[in-house]
Amino acid sequence: MIDTKVPAPAPPAARGGRHDTLARAALLLLRGRTLVVLVVLVIFFSAISSEYLTQSNLILMTKHVAINAILAIGVTFVILTGGIDLSVGSIAGLSSMVAGGLLFTGLHVPGGTVFFSVAVVVVIGIVVGALVGAVNGLLVTRFKVAPFIATLGMLYVARGAAQLLSNGGTFPDLAGTDARGNTGFHVIGVDSWLGIPVAVWIMVVVAAGAIVLTTKTPFGRRIFAVGGNERAATLAGIRVNRVKIAVYVLSGCCAALAGLLLTSELGAAYPDTATTYELNAIAAAVLGGTALAGGRGTIVGTVMGAFVIGFLSDGLVLVGVSTFWQSVVKGAVIVLAVVTEQAQQRLQSGLAKRVA
Amino acid sequence: MNSMRRFLVPAGVAALLALSACSSSSDDSSGGESAAPAASKLIVVITPSPDNVFFKAEQDAAAAEAKKLGYETLVLSHDDDPTKQSQEIDTAISRKAAAIILDNAGADSSEAAIQRAKDNKIPTFLIDREINKTGVAVAQIVSNNAQGAGLGGQEFAKLMGNKGEYAELTGKATDTNAGVRSQGYHGILDQYPDMKMVAQQSANWDQAEALQKTQTILQAHPAIKGIIAGNDTMALGAWAAVQAAKKDIVVVGFDGSPDVVNSITKGGIKATVLQPASKISQMAVQQADEYIKNGKASQPEKQSIDCVLVNADNAASVTDFAVAGS
């Protein structure tokens, strides 16, 4: 929620002080709009359904949020540099199918079939995501392909690869067997720890890591510098291409992780896993105040955005709204978020001028 | 870190390559594209995404039967997108196919494309899903979805003891069968005054969507005793949610897919309605063969094949969308 590029509040100007105070209050409200929307949603749905604000439903909704939030955190890294990653849904599907294949049919090598333990399978799944992300990064930097096009291409390539892995079929049973030593895949998607689903813990860890990375490290500052003004970043000695490749790799890892969580929860891997999830992820980032032009946004905002989308969709299902209205409402909320973002920008620049 | 990377990167690549290599061995779509036959010995098979094993069985059965009768095949998927379907029919036209076997992408949005094939003297044999117009396709061989849904609804009511709260997961709204099945279920279930539908949501035939929606529905209505789904992939998603919630809930699906049949034998999902997908595909190819040879249809256009109920009693005898002895 805290916008890193916003100048510190200036002392109130002598003239028009009252007007400024109002404007400042409005600005505060606008900056916290994702939180405001979330609170409004919770109040609204609690009023309609007594089941909404129960502990078990909050935990369930947060679990549903976790998958989109992890995808969205990855996408936010890319958007902060001024890029976009449309391939995250397909990467999630690909890593899901790689993990599913390794667990269900094993890896065929000359002379037999090898089964890996679940931990190794998860690592391989994430490495696949990192590799695909690296290809995205190389396309964008070395081959100067526009991020939209490079990742759009990857959206199709990765989805196709996922379908090729099983010839379009589903890996139906990922429970593994003791004989193969590959049981326990359900831990990350189904099990709970201290009453909270493991998937939620993973989201918390990923979010915390991403917050530290963006706000406390030199790498984080470089991400914002590249997104804010690429030329200036280059002149300042930042190796822009390296930063860019790194954010696509991070995005690929997050996408792969989300795909694995989804697959674990379902207990089956199918090639259409996470189709169109990239749009939900981008929507969460935008809702959270990340500017598509780059250089401005926060991980906390993105996570809040994911919560708004998830709590809204689940609330609509809970009270029994039809699928068609669910789409309409979700779309309207996203557009409204951008409209208020514009209002915030205007108000901010207005205030800044007044102070100056 | 560096040594780790050195190991993992090749491992990941190897995993990818090995998996893709072992799975691409079966022959269909990929190979057909390049080998253009001189004369009309090509049968084009177009279905929704083979992601759903039901459509995969359709494709495989049609391709196998066509090869047996001496045809080349081109197997395509329209992913339930009428525009993509239209383009694929154009491909069939430009390849001068002898016949098209089509599981269409939506009744109303498919007629124009089928008509275009007809105008180009290519007969279309519809399987699984009907269109409203007659005289455009040579044959429409569909499983009797209304009859099947009736069977499923009856079994569902019986399993629930004719009373209690239940939820329904419906298919993609643009797909005719989603509506037909839902109506078929309700034609039965609405006759029971003690059975109450407390939630109805579309999960768009999708497993993950069915899982999440079922979880949310169970939050809203903890007293639910049954979930009836418009197809098997959604039933599997619902069953995953029921298992995670550790509840005793009757789940019934539709299609007769191997995964659900397997679940039934293990006492998980309670019942499904088997559509004779393989049989229908084979019939369509055989009739296409006769049409190509004789220049006229051997059967009436509309053909309806009855579905079979699969439950714990007969699940063991089901293989590949066919019950032994039926």
Side-chain angles (χ1 to χ4, degrees):
Chain A
M1 301 322 304
I2 298 139
D3 216 328
T4 48
K5 282 293 171 83
V6 174
R15 60 211 152 90
R18 190 190 167 87
H19 189 77
D20 270 10
T21 318
L22 267 178
R24 255 175 245 286
L27 185 59
L28 201 67
L29 206 64
L30 278 175
R31 261 193 238 159
R33 67 184 175 280
T34 330
L35 187 62
V36 173
V37 172
L38 189 60
V39 171
V40 169
L41 278 179
V42 170
I43 294 172
F44 176 73
F45 283 115
S46 315
I48 299 179
S49 167
S50 59
E51 301 294 337
Y52 191 77
L53 205 61
T54 58
Q55 191 191 352
S56 62
N57 191 49
L58 287 177
I59 289 176
L60 176 70
M61 289 196 296
T62 309
K63 189 180 176 187
H64 289 173
V65 165
I67 290 171
N68 188 28
I70 292 170
L71 279 173
I73 287 169
V75 170
T76 302
F77 280 114
V78 175
I79 297 179
L80 284 176
T81 65
I84 190 87
D85 193 346
L86 298 174
S87 64
V88 290
S90 296
I91 295 177
L94 179 60
S95 97
S96 159
M97 288 303 284
V98 168
L102 289 174
L103 287 169
F104 185 70
T105 57
L107 180 62
H108 297 279
V109 291
T113 306
V114 184
F115 286 96
F116 300 104
S117 72
V118 165
V120 176
V121 168
V122 168
V123 170
I124 292 176
I126 292 174
V127 168
V128 167
L131 286 175
V132 177
V135 173
N136 278 336
L138 286 173
L139 285 172
V140 169
T141 53
R142 297 267 177 271
F143 297 95
K144 307 280 177 220
V145 183
F148 189 96
I149 305 297
T151 58
L152 181 67
M154 191 53 81
L155 178 151
Y156 291 112
V157 172
R159 184 64 67 192
Q163 287 159 341
L164 279 172
L165 285 176
S166 66
N167 213 0
T170 299
F171 296 121
D173 180 10
L174 308 183
T177 61
D178 287 328
R180 293 167 177 176
N182 60 355
T183 54
F185 186 56
H186 60 91
V187 170
I188 55 171
V190 179
D191 287 3
S192 292
W193 186 58
L194 303 177
I196 307 285
V198 174
V200 174
W201 288 113
I202 292 177
M203 171 185 76
V204 170
V205 170
V206 170
I211 290 169
V212 170
L213 201 60
T214 46
T215 58
K216 302 274 187 257
T217 66
F219 176 68
R221 286 192 287 280
R222 281 181 215 131
I223 291 179
F224 284 99
V226 169
N229 187 335
E230 193 173 324
R231 211 175 133 68
T234 313
L235 293 174
I238 294 174
R239 280 184 277 199
V240 172
N241 282 359
R242 255 194 208 190
V243 173
K244 283 189 178 175
I245 293 174
V247 293
Y248 284 99
V249 169
L250 281 173
S251 180
C253 289
C254 286
L257 184 58
L260 293 173
L261 291 178
L262 196 63
T263 308
S264 164
E265 188 177 16
L266 209 55
Y270 64 108
D272 275 358
T273 301
T275 304
T276 71
Y277 278 31
E278 58 277 352
L279 300 179
N280 271 337
I282 294 168
V286 170
L287 258 173
T290 302
L292 283 177
R296 193 162 41 77
T298 60
I299 298 296
V300 178
T302 295
V303 173
M304 297 294 291
F307 267 93
V308 167
I309 290 178
F311 275 34
L312 177 66
S313 326
D314 274 10
L316 292 171
V317 173
L318 193 83
V319 300
V321 174
S322 87
T323 315
F324 312 130
W325 279 110
Q326 289 172 28
S327 292
V328 172
V329 172
K330 195 162 100 183
V333 167
I334 291 166
V335 174
L336 222 68
V338 179
V339 171
T340 53
E341 152 118 41
Q342 299 298 331
Q344 177 191 339
Q345 295 303 317
R346 271 200 301 278
L347 202 57
Q348 248 165 33
S349 55
L351 271 180
K353 264 183 218 143
R354 204 185 276 266
V355 171
Chain B
M1 182 62 215
N2 236 331
S3 63
M4 183 97 158
R5 194 184 303 162
R6 223 171 283 151
F7 161 71
L8 286 174
V9 171
V13 174
L16 263 177
L17 290 178
L19 274 166
S20 62
C22 71
S23 57
S24 59
S25 53
S26 93
D27 50 342
D28 52 25
S29 54
S30 44
E33 198 83 54
S34 53
S40 265
K41 266 306 217 180
L42 176 73
I43 287 185
V44 179
V45 180
I46 308 175
T47 73
S49 167
D51 210 51
N52 181 337
V53 281
F54 178 82
F55 301 117
K56 179 129 179 63
E58 253 180 22
Q59 290 185 347
D60 292 350
E65 188 70 17
K67 283 216 176 70
K68 204 171 91 187
L69 295 170
Y71 292 93
E72 301 218 21
T73 57
L74 171 61
V75 182
L76 303 168
S77 162
H78 56 58
D79 299 331
D80 284 305
D81 177 357
T83 314
K84 196 169 171 197
Q85 169 180 274
S86 172
Q87 291 161 356
E88 289 173 348
I89 286 182
D90 286 339
T91 305
I93 293 171
S94 67
R95 291 276 304 268
K96 298 190 174 34
I100 298 171
I101 309 290
L102 173 67
D103 188 346
N104 71 72
D108 299 319
S109 45
S110 301
E111 280 171 19
I114 299 167
Q115 181 68 49
R116 201 162 61 242
K118 188 187 176 181
D119 295 343
N120 285 278
K121 310 231 174 331
I122 300 176
T124 303
F125 296 78
L126 296 180
I127 53 174
D128 182 41
R129 300 173 182 171
E130 313 180 79
I131 57 172
N132 299 321
K133 213 167 166 185
T134 53
V136 187
V138 176
Q140 303 191 32
I141 314 172
V142 298
S143 54
N144 193 338
N145 274 275
Q147 171 260 352
L151 286 178
Q154 256 157 10
E155 181 74 4
F156 184 65
K158 196 175 109 193
L159 287 162
M160 285 188 61
N162 301 339
K163 61 175 193 295
E165 293 188 351
Y166 71 94
E168 183 190 359
L169 294 174
T170 60
K172 197 169 256 170
T174 46
D175 182 339
T176 327
N177 281 345
V180 171
R181 287 178 199 173
S182 184
Q183 282 163 20
Y185 288 153
H186 284 283
I188 300 290
L189 298 177
D190 294 354
Q191 296 171 19
Y192 294 94
D194 293 336
M195 292 193 68
K196 187 165 167 254
M197 183 172 78
V198 290
Q200 183 183 39
Q201 284 284 330
S202 168
N204 292 310
W205 306 129
D206 185 85
Q207 203 166 337
E209 198 172 336
L211 169 78
Q212 297 209 336
K213 290 209 161 148
T214 304
Q215 286 176 329
T216 303
I217 289 170
L218 291 179
Q219 286 294 326
H221 310 284
I224 277 182
K225 282 175 59 198
I227 297 164
I228 191 161
N231 81 341
D232 275 353
T233 49
M234 294 192 296
L236 284 165
W239 178 243
V242 168
Q243 273 184 310
K246 297 188 174 60
K247 290 195 170 207
D248 185 23
I249 291 175
V250 172
V251 177
V252 168
F254 199 114
D255 278 348
S257 75
D259 300 339
V260 167
V261 171
N262 189 25
S263 173
I264 292 173
T265 56
K266 287 181 188 157
I269 291 173
K270 289 287 182 290
T272 183
V273 178
L274 183 133
Q275 301 193 76
S278 307
K279 185 176 163 191
I280 287 176
S281 280
Q282 288 161 359
M283 286 172 66
V285 174
Q286 286 157 5
Q287 291 179 22
D289 179 49
E290 285 162 21
Y291 185 90
I292 292 163
K293 284 176 180 151
N294 307 330
K296 63 179 198 306
S298 59
Q299 301 286 332
E301 180 180 339
K302 291 258 188 183
Q303 301 165 46
S304 176
I305 313 298
D306 275 353
C307 300
V308 186
L309 181 76
V310 177
N311 56 20
D313 299 336
N314 64 349
S317 62
V318 177
T319 42
D320 250 351
F321 293 97
V323 182
S326 80

